[in-house]
């Protein structure tokens, strides 16, 4: 997707089995979890307040919520550094004839799927702030209050990042220390700009580069054009905060404090982090229900690339796997 749910898996913040490692070349069978929901995909828009900042939330699920129905598992999607929420997770690619909306897929699988435009992105308030990772945490704190009221769920699954109340956490295109990352090495050339400006330019060519900078051919060029068409109406600049954090402040995550089960997914050719860096993070995670999957043939833009179906099935299997029985007699 963008260099983000992705770059720090945008707010890959604070916040599996055997060694839990694998190189995945083909989609696994779906997990036998809760049954898929029925009915057409329903959507709604919500708003959260973070002080004076208005934050736009978007929700999709199969069928309109009905009084008295049991709550569905909630999957909250956290967008990246360069692209807002709906283009990232609910993209339509004209003429492709294939599904690119992660929200549609997981809605049909029985999840209640939510996402959020962070401060300064998409439909949310544009402010003088740089929307760094700490700001993103506060965005998520405000958002989960809205989600909890609407769904009755107090524990959520997160894709990309966490703000507490985490049931299971998926970090895709994540970076830990940034050591050896070719993408971040190049990006550090702009460090002084990120320190002195709260927004950076973002045009169609930059959006195209998200799909080509690691390994051309790992996605359909039409996807980059559709993403640019969906995102550029929000303007030709975005906040610098996550770029500053990635180039000057890593690591921002202490893996020892991540108590939730974690799925760590890396594209084989992703330049945002080395495999060694991610394995270092993975080995420090305290929860035994952790998994590290490398998607063969994928680059940074896993969620909108040719391997997105594999990603979706890996995510579903992780979210629906039975919790480890830690009871000992």
């Amino acid at each position: 997707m963008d260099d983000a749910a992705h770059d720090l898996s945008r707010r890959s913040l604070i916040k599996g089995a055997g060694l839990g490692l694998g190189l995945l070349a083909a989609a696994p069978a779906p997990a036998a979890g809760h049954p898929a929901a029925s009915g057409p995909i329903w959507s709604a828009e919500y708003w959260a307040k973070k002080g004076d900042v208005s934050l736009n939330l978007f929700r999709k699920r199969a069928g309109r919520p009905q009084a008295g129905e049991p709550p569905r598992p909630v999957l909250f999607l956290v967008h990246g550094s360069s692209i807002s929420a709906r283009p990232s997770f609910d993209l339509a690619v004209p003429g492709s004839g294939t599904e690119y909306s992660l929200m549609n897929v997981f809605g049909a699988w029985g999840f209640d799927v939510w996402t959020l435009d962070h401060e300064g992105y998409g439909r949310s308030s544009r402010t003088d702030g740089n929307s760094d990772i700490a700001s993103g945490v506060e965005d998520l704190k405000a958002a989960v209050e809205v989600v909890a009221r609407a769904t009755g769920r107090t524990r959520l699954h997160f894709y990309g990042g966490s703000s507490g109340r985490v049931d299971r956490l998926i970090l895709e295109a994540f970076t830990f220390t940034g050591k050896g990352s070719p993408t971040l090495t190049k990006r550090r050339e702009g460090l002084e700009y990120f320190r002195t400006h709260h927004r950076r330019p973002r045009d169609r060519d930059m959006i195209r580069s998200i799909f080509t900078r690691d390994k051309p051919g790992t996605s359909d060029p039409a996807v980059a054009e559709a993403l640019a068409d969906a995102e550029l109406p929000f303007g030709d600049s975005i906040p610098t905060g996550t770029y500053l954090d990635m180039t000057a402040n890593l690591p921002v995550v202490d893996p020892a404090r991540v108590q939730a089960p974690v799925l760590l997914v890396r594209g084989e050719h992703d330049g945002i982090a080395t495999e060694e860096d991610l394995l270092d993070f993975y080995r420090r995670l305290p929860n035994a229900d952790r998994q590290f999957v490398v998607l063969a043939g994928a680059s940074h833009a896993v969620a909108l690339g040719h391997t997105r179906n594999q990603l979706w099935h890996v995510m579903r299997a992780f979210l629906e796997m039975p919790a480890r029985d830690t009871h000992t007699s």
Side-chain angles (χ1 to χ4, degrees):
M1 109 169 217
D2 100 270
D3 32 358
H6 306 124
D7 281 329
L8 293 179
S9 275
R10 157 118 179 150
R11 316 268 181 182
S12 35
L13 248 146
I14 332 195
K15 12 166 158 124
L19 190 53
L21 301 175
L23 179 68
L24 187 67
H34 60 274
S38 60
I41 297 295
W42 171 88
S43 66
E45 185 176 65
Y46 297 76
W47 292 89
K49 293 291 289 186
K50 183 184 70 171
D52 293 333
V53 176
S54 296
L55 300 169
N56 184 263
L57 287 87
F58 187 59
R59 178 188 189 186
K60 276 194 161 185
R61 47 166 277 167
R64 180 184 296 274
Q66 302 295 322
E69 70 176 2
R72 298 178 188 178
V74 173
L75 176 60
F76 196 105
L77 309 173
V78 184
H79 74 74
S81 299
S82 299
I83 306 294
S84 62
R86 294 189 216 181
S88 294
F89 303 120
D90 193 35
L91 186 67
V93 180
S96 70
T98 58
E99 183 64 85
Y100 281 89
S101 170
L102 190 156
M103 299 190 80
N104 285 346
V105 169
F106 277 82
W109 281 344
F111 290 84
D112 197 336
V113 190
W114 292 70
T115 191
L116 162 80
D117 283 335
H118 283 282
E119 178 182 338
Y121 288 85
R123 295 167 175 81
S124 291
S125 296
R126 180 173 294 197
T127 70
D128 293 333
N130 71 353
S131 194
D132 60 6
I133 291 174
S135 171
V137 175
E138 298 306 313
D139 294 344
L140 293 172
K141 287 179 180 178
V144 296
E145 299 297 332
V146 175
V147 175
R149 287 195 299 269
T151 66
R153 286 281 190 181
T154 58
R155 295 182 65 84
L156 319 178
H157 301 311
F158 279 82
Y159 168 96
S162 142
S163 67
R165 299 184 178 184
V166 178
D167 193 358
R168 297 186 180 186
L169 176 63
I170 300 170
L171 301 176
E172 183 257 303
F174 178 71
T175 188
F176 179 30
T177 68
K179 181 179 179 180
S181 163
T183 298
L184 295 185
T185 298
K186 176 66 175 176
R187 194 167 293 167
R188 287 189 187 100
E189 296 174 4
L191 178 56
E192 186 57 30
Y193 184 92
F194 306 146
R195 290 190 192 278
T196 56
H197 295 75
H198 282 181
R199 298 187 71 86
R200 59 185 170 89
R202 187 274 319 270
D203 59 11
R204 184 173 292 268
D205 283 342
M206 185 272 161
I207 293 173
R208 288 171 177 154
S209 75
I210 294 167
F211 297 88
T212 59
R213 70 174 187 233
D214 294 324
K215 189 174 179 61
T218 54
S219 60
D220 184 341
V223 176
E225 302 308 316
L227 188 63
D229 289 343
E231 180 63 26
L232 289 176
F234 299 120
D236 60 0
S237 70
I238 59 265
T240 56
T242 56
Y243 268 35
L244 177 60
D245 282 333
M246 281 184 287
T247 54
N249 299 323
L250 291 179
V252 296
V253 186
D254 179 1
R257 297 178 61 189
V258 181
Q259 298 300 315
V262 174
L263 169 63
L264 194 60
V265 182
R266 180 184 188 272
E268 179 185 9
H269 305 292
D270 190 359
I272 198 69
T274 66
E275 203 161 295
E276 292 75 16
D277 193 36
L278 297 182
L279 281 170
D280 185 24
F281 179 85
Y282 173 82
R283 292 184 180 113
R284 299 179 190 216
L285 292 167
N287 195 306
D289 286 327
R290 66 189 193 274
Q291 299 177 15
F292 182 22
V293 174
V294 178
L295 293 180
S299 61
H300 185 70
V302 174
L304 292 175
H306 293 317
T307 59
R308 65 191 180 281
N309 287 287
Q310 287 96 316
L311 172 66
W312 295 341
H313 285 296
V314 167
M315 290 172 58
R316 184 184 184 187
F318 172 73
L319 295 176
E320 295 184 343
M321 71 178 183
R324 184 185 294 267
D325 184 1
T326 58
H327 175 74
T328 56
S329 57

